[in-house]
Amino acid sequence: MTAEFDAVVVGAGHNGLILGAYLAKSGLSVLVCENRWEVGGSMDTRELFPGFKFNLHATYNVVHGLNPPVYRDLELEKFGLRWKPCTGWGVVFGDNRALFYYPELKHTLKLVERFSQNDARLIERLFSKENIEKYYQLARTLFYTAPHELENPASEAGRIYKTTEGYERFPFDSTMMEAAEENFESPEVQTWLMRIVEASMMEPSESSAWTLMWINSLYLNLGIAVGGTHSIAHVLARVIQYYGGMIIERDPAVEILIENERAVGVRLKSGKTVRARKLVASNLNPSLTLELIGEENVPSEIVKKVKNYRYRYTSHGSIAIALKRKPSWKASEFTQDVNSAMGLSIGWESPENFVRMYEAHRKGEIYKDDNGFMAIEAVSFLNEVEPTLAPPGYHVITPAWPYFPNTRYAGEKFIEYMENNRQELLEWAIESIMDKMQDMKRDDIIGATIYLPTDVEKKNPNMYGGDINVGTFEGQSMWHRPFPEWGKYRAYPVENLYLCGPSSHSGGGIKFSNGYLCYKTIKHDLGLGGV
Amino acid sequence: MNSPDVIIIGGGPNGLTSGAYLAKAGLDVLLLESRHEIGGGLAGEEVTTTGLIHNPHALYFLLVDYAPPYFDFNQELAPFIKHIYPEVQISMVRSDGKSLTLFSDPEKTAKSIEKFSRSDSETYRKMYGEYLKIVEDIIIPYTFAPPIPPVEQMDLLSKTETGQNFTEITEMTPREIVEENFEDELVKALFLYVGTHPILRYDEPLGYLFPLYFIVSHRMRIVEGGTHRLASALAKIIIRNGGMIHEASEVAEIIVEDGVAKGVRLKDGRKIMAKKAILSTVDPPQTFLKLIGEDKIDMDLSNIKNWEWEEFSFFSVHADLTEPPVYRSDSSDPNRALITLIGYDSSEEYITEMDAVLQGRFPERPACEVTCPTVFDPTQAYGQPGMHTLRITSYAPFELDGDAEKWDTFKNEAMDRCLSVLKDYTENMNQDSIRYSYPQSPLDIERRIPSMVKGSIKHGAYIPFQMGYMRPNTECSGYRTPIKNLYVGGAGVYPGGWVSFGPGYNSANAILEDLGVEKWFSEPEFIKRAKENGYL
Ligand SMILES: Cc1cc2nc3c(=O)[nH]c(=O)nc-3n(C[C@H](O)[C@H](O)[C@H](O)COP(=O)(O)OP(=O)(O)OC[C@H]3O[C@@H](n4cnc5c(N)ncnc54)[C@H](O)[C@@H]3O)c2cc1C
Ligand SMILES: Cc1cc2nc3c(=O)[nH]c(=O)nc-3n(C[C@H](O)[C@H](O)[C@H](O)COP(=O)(O)OP(=O)(O)OC[C@H]3O[C@@H](n4cnc5c(N)ncnc54)[C@H](O)[C@@H]3O)c2cc1C
C-alpha cells in the first residue's frame, strides 16, 4: 500500500510536531509518523495513580519569557494551550537554607541578601530591566534565527551581549564555573546560578562564561503548561490535524527511502510505503536517522561522524509521588516562601559538587551528595501551581528528576544493576526527599514510583542512554550540531532530507526552537509561501 | 475566544462521538474535558513500567458489528483503528481443570457446552437463534434511536412473535433466565456471568438486556494498540472538521438565562458562550444539580435527586508478565481466550461472591475475569517487546465495610488475593513471571473519572427506574431537556453505559434535527428495517 504526501516527518516529539504544524499550516500535505501510541515524545503527562498526574519528563518551559514566534504563528492559545507562571526554581542546601527565584526580582534579591549583600547588588545590576531585555533579545537571536538568516548567530548574540551592563565580568574565554566563582562570593549563590547551567544541559567546565547570566535570566519567567506538559503535544498535534495533516501513531518509520541521493519517502513498520513529494524530516538523533537512511546511502565520513556523535554523560530518571498531605520543607524555617516555590533541587552545596557529579557520571557511577543522599533536580509540588494535577486536597511530587550516569556509557552491568534495584533506588530517592522535609511521613504516601533512564530510553529511543539533551553541547552546538555537514537542519548529502530534532541546534528542551528553525530552512529552500 | 456553535462537556466515548457527528455536519464544536487527556472510559495508561500499555477502563468492545459510528466514520477511522476479533471469546476454567468455552462461532460453542450437557447445548443453539433475531431486529435499533414510552413500546412489540418473545423475558432476572434454561452448573455460571458482568445484579428484573449481552459476548473485539486509540481517532475527526478540544477544562457551571442554556463557566474562571447548543455527557446529578442548579430548572428532579449509583464496581489488577498465563486445564482454549474466567465452579458460587460484594466485602478468593491483550496484540508492549500485559477484574464494593478510603490501604491485599487465584489456576504465574503489578480500586475509578461516581462505570445503576425511557428521567431521556439548547448524552442517559456510542449518536441526531442541520450520514439499515417491521 502506498500513500503520498508533500512532507513526511519522522517522530512526533516537540520538534517534529512543531515542524509538522508549520508545514500543514503553510498548505503542504503532511504525515507525521510516531513510534509510540501517543504523540509528544518527552512531553509526557501520566496519571500513574488515579487522579494524580505526573510530568514524568519535561515540565519547565524556559523560553516562555521570550514569547517564542511559534506561540503566535500557530495560534497555540486558540487551540487550547494555557500557561501558568512558575514560582521559585532554585536550590535547597544541605543545611536547609534555600535560594530560589521569586516571580519578582526584588523578592529574589532580598533572599540573596541573606547570603551575600554584595552578590545581591551584583545580581540587581545584571538583572536590570535593560539587561534582561537584551538577554532576551540575544536568546531570541540564538533560538529563533535560521541559518540562512544569519551566518553566525553566536557572534550576533555576543555583540548584543557586549552592550549589556557588566558583561566584561564574564569573558568569553573563561568558563561559567570560573565566572560564578570569581564574581560571586557566596558559595550558595554560585551554586544556585550554576544549577541553571546544569539544567540547561551544559557542563560547567566547558561552556563559556558569558552564557551564565543570560541563561539565568530565562528562569525568571518559566512557564508551566496547564493540564501537564503533554497538553503542549495535544495542541501541536491538533494544529496539524486542523490544517489537514495526518498523524499516525504506533507506526514508526523503519526506512527513509532514498532514490538518486534524494529522500523520497519512508517505509513504516506496518509495511506501508509513504512517498514524500517534497521532503522527509527526522526528529531523531543522528544514529537513529542514519539507521533509517542506511549507511550505504551516505559517504563514509558521514557515517564516521554519526558514530562519533557524543551524548551527555548525565542522564535523568523521574520520581512520582502521590501524597495525602503536603509536607513542609525544613527550609521553611529559613524562609516560609520555600513551600510555594517550585523546582527546588537537592544535593548541591557548592559548584564543586557539579564537577564531582560529572566525574562520577563519566565513570558510570551514581553521584551522592555530601551526606550520601541522592541528588534530585527540581523537586516540586506542582499541583500548587497547576491544581488539575491532583485531586482536591491531595498533592503530587512532580517533577523530581534524579541524576544518573548515561546508562549506555555506563554499560550493561550498570543497566542490570539499575533494573534489579528499582525499589532500592526509589527508597533512596524518597529518603533523600524526606530528609529535606519537616514532617513527611510514610503514611502520607499513597503511591510512589521511579522511572529510570533506561525507561526514558525504552519509551523514547531518541534519548540515548537517557540523555535528555540527545547529545552534549560540547563541540556540538549551533550550526555544528550534530556535526557541521548536518548542522543546518539538512542531512548532507541526501537531498530533501531535513533534521529537526534535539540533536540539531538548539538542542534538547521544550524551546519551540529546532522544529521552527528547520521549518524556516525548508521554507527558504522550497520557497514556500508559508505562515 | 470566538463562541462555538456547540459546547460538549466531557470527552468520553459519548462526548467524542457526538462531537465527531456534529463537527462533520459543519457545526463549530468545542469539547471540554476535565482531565488532562480525552477518552473517559477509553483510556490507556502506562501505569506499570514504561513501554507497556494498560487499559484501565474499557478493554473489549461489544458493538463493533452494529454501532453506526463504525460505519459512518469508516474512512476516517480506517487508518487508525484495527479491531482484533479473538476466536475464543470467553473460556471458563473449573477448579478441576475442565474448561467451557464460548467461541465467536456459536457452533463451536455449542460443541463445548455439549461436553457438559447435551440438553444445554441444544438450549444454547435455540437461544442463540432466537436472541440473534431479537438483538438485530429490536435491541440494536432501539439502542440507536430515542427511547419510546413503555406503553407504546409494549404495544409495538406485541405485534410480532419476536417482539412477544422479547417481552416475555423483559421482567425476568438474569438468574431466572439462566435457571430456567440450563441444567449444568458450569454452563449456568458462564451464562450468569455473561448476563451480569456489565455490573448488573443477578436478581435485577432487567431481562431484556440478557439477549444483548448473550449475543455480543460472541462479538467482542479489542482495539489494536490499546483502547485509547479509539479516543484518539474520534478526536481527530473533530479537529479535522474544524472543531476544538480543550483538556484540563473542568466545567463548573452551565450558564442558564431565562430558561436557555447560554454557555459554561469553567473551574479556572473562564467563561465560554455557545451559539447554538450545549451537550452534557457527564452524569445526571452532576449535570442538573451541580452544573445547573435546582433553581434554574423547571422540572421534576426526583429521579435525579434520588439517583442511584451502581451498587458495586470493579477492582482491577494490571500486571506485567514475562509470558502469558498457561492455565491448568484440559484444553488450550483458556490460554487463547479474550476473557478467561476463574475462581468459581457454579452459579451458586458466583452468586455467593456477588452477595459478599453487595454486602461491602471483598471476597477472600475473588471470582476473576482475566485478560491478556498482548496475546492478540503484541504492539501493546511496544517498549518491551516480548512482555505481556495482564488485567484481572473482580467485582468489588465501592465502600469497604462502609468506608471507601479503606481501599487505599487495602488494595494491595486485594491485589494479592486476585493474584493468588491466578497462580492457583495457572502453571506458570509466579514471582518470576509477574514482574510488576498495580492495583486499581473502585475509589481509583472515581478519582480518575469524576463522572463515574462511587465507581459507577455506567454513570448510574441499572435498575428499572433508571432504565429506558426513564434514564435519566422521562423529560430528558430523549436527549432534550426543559432548558432550551441544553442536551444530555452520556452513559447516564438512554440507552446507558458501556461503550455503546448510543447516547453520543442519539444526542447528535437530536441536536442536528433541532438545529435544522442536514445530516451527512444516512439512517442505518437496521433502523429502516425496524421501521418497516413496526418496531419504531
Ligand atoms: C526526565 C526529563 C526531564 C526533562 N525536563 C525538561 C524541562 O523541564 N524543560 C525542558 O525544556 N526540557 C526538559 N526535558 C527535555 C526535553 O523533554 C527533550 O529534550 C525534548 O523533548 C526532546 O526533543 P523532541 O521533543 O524534539 O524529541 P523527542 O521528545 O525525543 O521525540 C522524539 C519522538 O520520536 C519518536 N520516535 C522514535 N523513533 C521513531 C521512529 N523510528 N519513527 C517514528 N517515531 C519515532 C519517539 O517516540 C518520540 O515521540 C526533559 C527530559 C526528560 C527525559
Ligand atoms: C474498570 C472499567 C472497565 C470497563 N470495561 C469496559 C469494557 O470492557 N467495555 C466497555 O464497553 N465498557 C467498559 N467500561 C465502561 C465504559 O468505560 C463506560 O461506561 C463509558 O466510558 C461511558 O462513556 P461516557 O462517554 O458516557 O462517559 P465517560 O467515559 O465517563 O466520560 C465522561 C467524561 O467527562 C469528563 N468529565 C466529568 N466531569 C466533567 C466536567 N465537570 N467538565 C468536563 N468534563 C468532565 C470525564 O473526565 C470523562 O472523560 C468499563 C469501565 C470501567 C471503569
Side-chain angles (χ1 to χ4, degrees), chain B residues 122-169:
Chain B
E122 277 314 304
T123 311
Y124 163 82
R125 276 202 181 85
K126 231 181 90 230
M127 277 171 114
Y128 188 92
E130 211 172 88
Y131 285 175
L132 186 64
K133 203 159 164 46
I134 291 178
V135 167
E136 296 199 332
D137 285 3
I138 303 171
I139 301 182
I140 292 300
Y142 280 4
T143 302
F144 299 102
I148 303 170
V151 182
E152 218 172 289
Q153 185 172 325
M154 288 298 262
D155 187 44
L156 295 174
L157 291 172
S158 67
K159 290 176 184 149
T160 68
E161 197 192 322
T162 312
Q164 286 158 13
N165 289 344
F166 183 43
T167 312
E168 252 170 50
I169 49 169

Side-chain angles (χ1 to χ4, degrees), chain B residues 9-15 32-35 39-41 56-60 249-251 281-282 286 291 314 316 391 440 445 449-452 457-459 490-491 497-499:
Chain B
I9 306 171
N14 287 311
L32 300 169
E33 165 57 47
S34 64
R35 290 182 71 232
H57 300 152
L59 175 56
Y60 35 85
S249 297
E250 181 181 339
V251 174
T281 69
V282 304
Q286 183 181 187
L291 302 185
F314 285 135
S316 336
R391 180 172 109 176
Q440 175 179 287
I445 294 178
I449 304 202
S451 40
M452 294 188 180
I457 71 167
K458 309 190 294 290
H459 295 191
W498 286 63
V499 184

Side-chain angles (χ1 to χ4, degrees), chain A residues 465-477:
Chain A
D467 172 9
I468 70 171
N469 201 42
V470 198
T472 170
F473 280 130
E474 187 196 345
Q476 304 179 148
S477 69

Side-chain angles (χ1 to χ4, degrees), chain B residues 42-94:
Chain B
L42 301 175
E45 206 79 59
E46 289 176 46
V47 286
T48 54
T49 55
T50 286
L52 299 174
I53 300 169
H54 285 271
N55 304 284
H57 300 152
L59 175 56
Y60 35 85
F61 294 86
L62 308 175
L63 293 177
V64 178
D65 291 321
Y66 301 114
Y70 289 118
F71 303 97
D72 295 336
F73 295 118
N74 181 27
Q75 278 217 310
E76 288 96 330
L77 295 177
F80 306 108
I81 299 296
K82 203 178 128 205
H83 284 103
I84 297 169
Y85 189 5
E87 189 207 354
V88 182
Q89 294 264 301
I90 305 174
S91 189
M92 189 166 194
V93 188
R94 204 159 70 177

